[in-house]
Amino acid sequence: MGFLAPWFLAGLAAIGLPLWVHLLRRHKSEPLPFSSLMFFEKRTQSSIKHRRLQHLLLLAARLAMIILLALAFASPYIMKKVTAGGGEAALRIIAIDDSFSMRAGNRMERAKAEARALLNNWRPAQQGQVIALSRQVRLLTQPTNSAEELRAAIDSLTPGDGRSSYGEFARALRATAESLKKPIEVHLISDMQKSSRPPSFADLRLDANTTLTIHDVGSATPNWTVESVNAPRRFSDPKRVRIFATAAAFAAPAATKQITVACNGKTVATKSVNIPANGRASAEFLGVEAPHGLNRCEARIDGADALPQDDAHLFSLERSDPRRILFVHEGRSQRDLLYYRSAIESSSESNFAIEPVAADAASNAGLDKFAFVVLSDVAQLSASLEENLRKYVRNGGSLLIALGPSAAARSTVPVLGLKINSSAYASRAGERFQLLGAGDDTHAALRNTNRWENVKFYQTIRVDAPEARIVARLADQSPVLLEQRSGEGRVLVFTSTFDNIANDFPLHPSFIPFVEQTARYLSGYEDTTAGYTVASTFELRREGAQAEAVEVLGPDGARALTLQEAARAKTLTLDNPGYYEVRRGSGRNELVAVNIDRRESDLEPLPKESVELWQGRRPDADVQSAAAGRPFEEQKPENLWWWFVLALAVVALAESVLASRYLGMRT
């Protein structure tokens, strides 16, 4: 016998209290009437008789009460052998992992064999259910007592392309136990990938009525894969294309591998990389020969391992002519044009061409052929051009407006009509300038710009824009970059200039990524993600954009959307690896490459201790019996505190009766 809270045994020291009461209770003599004591000799009366214990039954009852109370709080227990896995359960669930990693070797065949063995000697009264485990828990059958139906569901399983999640599996088991409120016997057949475990082990908790038995069909298998590819989505000059491919080794020794880049099935380049044991190595490819339009490319490694399906990483390249930017400026100075053009041409993935024009010579026609329009410190615009720019923005076009001394002469911001309050000046003498105070890092204009560190602003234009989204503020809380929506278009307002006079922004490294990111954002070609994996979501329409028909062709060439979804759906779930071709009503097409989640390529299993802890049994239990689905014996603690509390109640009742008998008032 053991104790769960042995420190409560210190309460046994209180057994001295009844002894003290019974030994030292004061002797009381009953006075008797007597005539005179003058003829009696004085003597000392012995107190030995009074120091003897009296009422031994009452003393024993009181001692027993204290002992039982201390033992009850100490929670005594005994180890009892119980049979696990062999009892009758309300439902037996057979869960089979069909994630991508089950393609390795013969894991799925072994999993099916384990599942079929659980159906041997199936009792007609036994209820069973087969579920599949990947990124979601899928019910392959309803609870049934038909072994043939369960066996047919097991035979129909094939490895999928998703990523397994034990946290989602445990959540589904908790929901099932909550609805049934009866014992559930669960058999999980999986390769027990370490990467499938949730960040918190508490997410794997199970209901008290759920018994989990794990059948492990995996092992640490060497595997090599192309983990990621960094390449531009769009380009115009093939010589400026740079592709970085990263290869990874999982539970694999050091090796030299070949990485090959191919476009449209044609090999472009090949390089050798030395991959360290359980490490990574990258290869850089300069230049790519690809025709105009959408190109299907991949980076492949000669893996020669148990999981060849992850040896290639898909990506898409779009070659097109440079997108045109209309740059409208005052014409008296070319400094703003010089700095802006240099930043565009210096960007790593430049696919834009600038067409400068003076404000007084700007044409009213042909705005739709430009990706977006820049108004750089423009004082005056013709009424017809300004109206055409408003229509251009309302119909989905974009503007970048820079405000300087010339624009400050106006009372309103061009096109938007926002009120210009004043100009805030500072002097270069005495280091009088403003720095960036706060910025919205979630906006594309501030991405990879290091928050405009050490950029000094000497003059800004203060604009009253209560409904605009403030992207960046100076230290004095005045907006320096804001976004205003107009119809379906986007308008960014920069309350300073690009000419290195009102600020020194063009001289800082953050100016080039700022120009590049705003150009992508305003042209509608900003890259929202570096790559897509199976089960990720692709945005079909921006919030508030005009409803246009979107046709999507899946990797198999079939339509991925119904007619209703093509007209209204805002997002698309990418269920399969391969290329998705997106065709929009505006004529802008995209090729989306979808890959397997590379966490599935890591075949390292969960530690044995974690598996045993999840099952809630001791490591020395009969693992072979559990794996075969047969009952096995293990020792579990059985708490005895309730019996001690019951005995305490009986002894307390007896003590009350004895105390009334011995210590009651004599009549």
Side-chain angles (χ1 to χ4, degrees):
M1 184 175 69
F3 298 94
L4 297 178
W7 49 87
F8 280 105
L9 294 177
L12 293 175
I15 61 177
L17 182 62
L19 292 173
W20 180 81
V21 171
H22 280 256
L23 283 175
L24 301 181
R25 62 187 302 269
R26 187 173 299 174
H27 175 72
K28 297 180 180 179
S29 300
E30 298 181 4
L32 298 174
F34 201 80
S35 59
S36 176
L37 297 178
M38 60 182 300
F39 298 106
F40 285 83
E41 182 182 359
K42 292 183 178 180
R43 295 186 60 185
T44 303
Q45 187 178 4
S46 175
S47 61
I48 296 176
K49 180 180 179 181
H50 304 308
R51 291 198 297 268
R52 294 177 180 175
L53 290 173
Q54 297 180 358
H55 314 314
L56 296 181
L57 287 179
L58 179 60
L59 175 63
R62 289 175 173 175
L63 292 175
M65 286 178 58
I66 294 178
I67 294 174
L68 290 175
L69 184 63
L71 292 177
F73 275 96
S75 296
Y77 69 90
I78 59 173
M79 299 303 296
K80 183 179 180 181
K81 289 186 177 181
V82 297
T83 301
E88 289 291 339
L91 181 65
R92 174 181 288 186
I93 296 178
I94 302 175
I96 304 176
D97 185 355
D98 67 340
S99 61
F100 176 78
S101 62
M102 295 295 288
R103 296 174 180 266
N106 62 344
R107 296 187 178 191
M108 180 54 73
E109 288 73 17
R110 292 170 55 194
K112 289 184 177 181
E114 290 279 351
R116 295 188 191 100
L118 294 174
L119 299 180
N120 295 336
N121 302 322
W122 188 263
R123 296 179 298 275
Q126 176 68 57
Q127 288 280 321
Q129 187 176 22
V130 177
I131 65 177
L133 169 64
S134 57
R135 66 179 184 271
Q136 295 178 343
V137 176
R138 308 189 317 278
L139 305 180
L140 301 184
T141 66
Q142 294 297 324
T144 179
N145 54 10
S146 173
E148 290 74 15
E149 183 178 350
L150 299 176
R151 186 174 287 106
I154 294 172
D155 294 338
S156 66
L157 268 177
T158 57
D161 299 312
R163 175 177 174 264
S164 59
S165 173
Y166 297 144
E168 181 67 20
F169 173 64
R171 187 200 63 79
L173 291 182
R174 292 195 299 269
T176 303
E178 180 66 22
S179 60
L180 288 180
K181 298 187 181 302
K182 293 181 180 180
I184 300 176
E185 179 185 339
V186 182
H187 293 267
L188 173 60
I189 308 175
S190 172
D191 55 2
M192 302 309 297
Q193 269 187 293
K194 185 178 180 180
S195 60
S196 301
R197 183 182 62 184
S200 174
F201 196 84
D203 294 336
L204 296 178
R205 67 186 186 280
L206 300 176
D207 190 86
N209 291 331
T210 302
T211 302
L212 176 64
T213 303
I214 293 178
H215 307 257
D216 191 354
V217 296
S219 61
T221 305
N223 186 39
W224 290 272
T225 182
V226 179
E227 189 175 37
S228 64
V229 173
N230 186 6
R233 292 278 301 275
R234 300 165 185 87
F235 69 97
S236 57
D237 187 0
K239 297 180 181 179
R240 299 186 61 181
V241 176
R242 302 177 66 184
I243 300 174
F244 291 90
T246 301
F250 298 106
T256 300
K257 297 292 182 179
Q258 296 284 337
I259 298 181
T260 302
V261 175
C263 287
N264 303 318
K266 181 180 178 181
T267 300
V268 174
T270 300
K271 280 191 176 182
S272 297
V273 293
N274 297 320
I275 308 176
N278 302 322
R280 291 168 174 79
S282 298
E284 180 182 6
F285 300 87
L286 299 177
V288 59
E289 288 297 331
H292 281 73
L294 300 172
N295 297 275
R296 305 177 180 225
C297 305
E298 68 175 14
R300 178 175 292 276
I301 189 174
D302 55 338
D305 49 37
L307 195 59
Q309 293 86 353
D310 67 347
D311 291 345
H313 190 99
L314 308 180
F315 63 100
S316 64
L317 293 176
E318 181 182 356
R319 182 178 179 182
S320 61
D321 294 330
R323 306 204 70 195
R324 300 163 65 185
I325 301 174
L326 180 62
F327 193 92
V328 182
H329 60 106
E330 277 298 309
R332 295 188 299 270
S333 174
Q334 303 290 327
R335 294 170 61 94
D336 52 352
L337 174 61
L338 172 64
Y339 286 114
Y340 194 86
R341 187 199 298 272
S342 300
I344 281 288
E345 294 176 352
S346 301
S347 62
S348 59
E349 301 175 10
S350 176
N351 194 29
F352 297 95
I354 295 181
E355 293 190 12
V357 61
D360 53 0
S363 174
N364 295 333
L367 292 177
D368 293 337
K369 63 184 179 182
F370 295 102
F372 63 95
V373 179
V374 179
L375 300 181
S376 179
D377 193 17
V378 175
Q380 296 295 331
L381 287 175
S382 64
S384 58
L385 177 58
E386 190 163 357
E387 181 60 29
N388 286 338
L389 284 172
R390 291 193 184 97
K391 293 180 181 179
Y392 170 71
V393 173
R394 285 197 296 266
N395 293 332
S398 299
L399 281 178
L400 173 59
I401 303 176
L403 302 179
S406 299
R410 300 168 52 104
S411 59
T412 59
V413 177
V415 181
L416 292 179
L418 300 176
K419 182 181 178 181
I420 296 178
N421 291 328
S422 61
S423 296
Y425 291 93
S427 173
R428 291 180 181 266
E431 298 293 328
R432 296 178 60 189
F433 51 81
Q434 290 287 336
L435 298 177
L436 187 69
D440 185 358
D441 294 332
T442 62
H443 197 279
L446 296 185
R447 192 178 303 156
N448 302 324
T449 60
N450 200 21
R451 295 179 59 86
W452 303 356
E453 185 177 4
N454 297 326
V455 176
K456 302 174 183 178
F457 290 89
Y458 307 105
Q459 179 185 8
T460 56
I461 307 301
R462 295 185 176 178
V463 179
D464 186 9
E467 299 181 357
R469 175 185 178 183
I470 307 301
V471 181
R473 295 178 182 271
L474 296 179
D476 62 356
Q477 298 302 308
S478 61
V480 67
L481 183 65
L482 54 91
E483 180 178 0
Q484 179 76 41
R485 291 280 181 156
S486 179
E488 299 175 15
R490 300 169 172 174
V491 181
L492 284 179
V493 179
F494 182 64
T495 62
S496 193
T497 62
F498 301 137
D499 56 6
N500 191 30
I501 296 178
N503 57 71
D504 64 350
F505 196 11
L507 303 182
H508 286 265
S510 55
F511 184 68
I512 293 177
F514 166 74
V515 172
E516 180 181 5
Q517 296 295 341
T518 53
R520 291 185 185 180
Y521 179 70
L522 294 174
S523 62
Y525 278 110
E526 73 274 14
D527 295 333
T528 56
T529 179
Y532 292 93
T533 58
V534 173
S536 59
T537 301
F538 177 75
E539 185 179 18
L540 297 174
R541 297 178 177 86
R542 296 197 307 265
E543 189 68 27
Q546 181 181 5
E548 61 176 358
V550 180
E551 184 180 5
V552 180
L553 300 181
D556 56 355
R559 286 183 171 86
L561 298 175
T562 63
L563 293 178
Q564 184 177 5
E565 292 172 339
R568 299 182 180 179
K570 295 185 180 299
T571 59
L572 170 66
T573 301
L574 307 173
D575 292 320
N576 302 306
Y579 298 98
Y580 285 79
E581 188 174 351
V582 182
R583 301 174 181 175
R584 305 180 187 275
S586 60
R588 182 164 61 91
N589 300 333
E590 294 182 65
L591 190 63
V592 181
V594 182
N595 290 281
I596 302 295
D597 193 324
R598 284 304 185 257
R599 286 174 289 187
E600 281 291 300
S601 300
D602 187 357
L603 303 178
E604 181 183 358
L606 272 171
K608 182 180 179 181
E609 296 78 8
S610 299
V611 175
E612 292 167 346
L613 183 61
W614 190 14
Q615 294 180 101
R617 58 184 179 86
R618 295 168 56 88
D620 55 356
D622 191 349
V623 179
Q624 294 182 353
S625 297
R630 298 188 299 270
F632 59 91
E633 286 188 350
E634 64 171 325
Q635 290 187 343
K636 288 188 176 182
E638 182 178 356
N639 206 325
L640 303 177
W641 72 273
W642 171 253
W643 297 102
F644 283 86
V645 172
L646 183 61
L648 177 62
V650 173
V651 173
L653 180 62
E655 191 274 344
S656 178
V657 173
L658 292 174
S660 299
R661 177 181 176 183
Y662 293 143
L663 306 179
M665 183 178 296
R666 298 181 180 180
T667 58

